[in-house]
Amino acid sequence: MSPVLEVEALTVRHGPGCVACEPAPDVAVCVRCGTVWACRDVSFDLHAGEVVGIVGESGSGKSTTLACIHLDREPTRGRVRLHGHEVTGVRGAERRRLRSEALGIVYQSAQQGLELQVSAGGNVAARLFGAGSRSYEASRGRARELHAGMELPEDRLDEPVERYSGGMRQRVQLARALATAPSVLLLDEPTSGLDVSVQARILDLVRRVHRETGVAVVIVSHDLGVIRTLAERLLVMRRGRVVERGLTDQVLGDPQHAYTQLLVASQV
């Protein structure tokens, strides 16, 4: 079966690059030309129903990689394919269509993914309208269905999400992301900054959604516990590069790269 998502040699470079840093794989910031390598030569596939995790410390390039997949950022070089079709560099109506229909995302900060002054139902309906829905009743019905599915109080559907708690906002983001039944769900630090009990509830919800819908998921986190809970395969990133990859249990149970060993030891 062909992958739903293919990421090939994805590279984001801020600056011109030079003879000192272009061939040097471990250089994140070049002391000669000042170029910042946000991510470099990142490659992986994602199949239907699969969950792939990307882990690394802040600045490792994991969120930049996700931004390129979601078409928020255009890479310096490399390719992203959805269902075999290259989407790198698409613009205008096609970019909006892909982001509305094929890709769903939950950001670490609800401010990035939601209009906080708009109701929970309105946020979900806006995504449906962006994907071509013209029926108010159908969109509201879908919003209500997802609101309930995210275990949110029914009587708060029309309440602005700025009045919601952090955990509730993340669930509204998840409802919005899933509204159009996307092929790929991207989770960018979805539990960061939440209380442990709220984190557990979000993770349980994501697992249930994945089990029920079969959506392919890429989850980015610095928390190995989150990755261990959700991801079948794992990529470890450091200074913009993938330094280790494999089945999650194998990588975390017997890390081979010194950086992965340090990550695992720091969270024991």
Side-chain angles (χ1 to χ4, degrees), residues 76-248:
T76 305
R77 61 175 180 255
R79 296 182 176 85
V80 176
R81 296 187 184 91
L82 283 170
H83 298 288
H85 301 287
E86 185 171 347
V87 297
T88 317
V90 296
R91 294 179 175 85
E94 179 63 6
R95 176 178 177 272
R96 290 192 295 272
R97 184 189 69 80
L98 288 168
R99 283 161 50 97
S100 294
E101 298 177 10
L103 300 165
I105 190 166
V106 174
Y107 295 99
Q108 176 179 349
S109 171
Q111 284 87 339
Q112 287 182 266
L114 299 173
E115 293 290 339
L116 298 185
Q117 293 76 33
V118 175
S119 68
N123 269 281
V124 175
R127 178 167 169 87
L128 291 165
F129 290 137
S133 174
R134 293 295 176 264
S135 169
Y136 171 81
E137 289 301 325
S139 296
R140 183 168 174 79
R142 176 66 171 154
R144 184 182 292 110
E145 173 191 341
L146 285 163
H147 193 79
M150 296 301 111
E151 302 172 1
L152 291 163
E154 183 178 353
D155 60 356
R156 300 188 69 177
L157 177 67
D158 296 318
E159 189 173 325
V161 292
E162 63 184 355
R163 301 180 190 170
Y164 281 28
S165 67
M168 291 174 68
R169 289 178 185 180
Q170 293 304 79
R171 282 182 274 159
V172 175
Q173 276 206 82
L174 188 56
R176 178 183 168 90
L178 294 169
T180 56
S183 302
V184 178
L185 176 64
L186 307 171
L187 305 176
D188 190 1
E189 301 276 10
T191 62
S192 182
L194 301 177
D195 292 341
V196 173
S197 60
V198 179
Q199 287 185 25
R201 193 170 181 182
I202 295 293
L203 293 177
D204 285 344
L205 187 58
V206 170
R207 281 190 297 189
R208 177 172 64 77
V209 164
H210 175 253
R211 184 174 64 250
E212 292 176 353
T213 66
V215 64
V217 179
V218 181
I219 178 167
V220 158
S221 181
H222 66 277
D223 188 329
L224 297 184
V226 170
I227 295 297
R228 194 190 297 272
T229 297
L230 295 177
E232 302 154 28
R233 286 194 293 124
L234 173 63
L235 282 69
V236 181
M237 292 189 67
R238 178 177 183 264
R239 294 182 180 175
R241 295 181 68 90
V242 177
V243 297
E244 190 163 355
R245 67 177 71 222
L247 297 176
T248 301

Side-chain angles (χ1 to χ4, degrees), residues 10-12 21-25 27 37-42 77 240-241:
L10 201 67
T11 300
V12 174
C21 64
E22 279 280 2
V27 172
W37 295 85
C39 66
R40 193 191 290 217
D41 296 324
V42 177
R77 61 175 180 255
R241 295 181 68 90

Side-chain angles (χ1 to χ4, degrees), residues 9 20 54 209 254:
I54 305 177
V209 164
D254 185 22

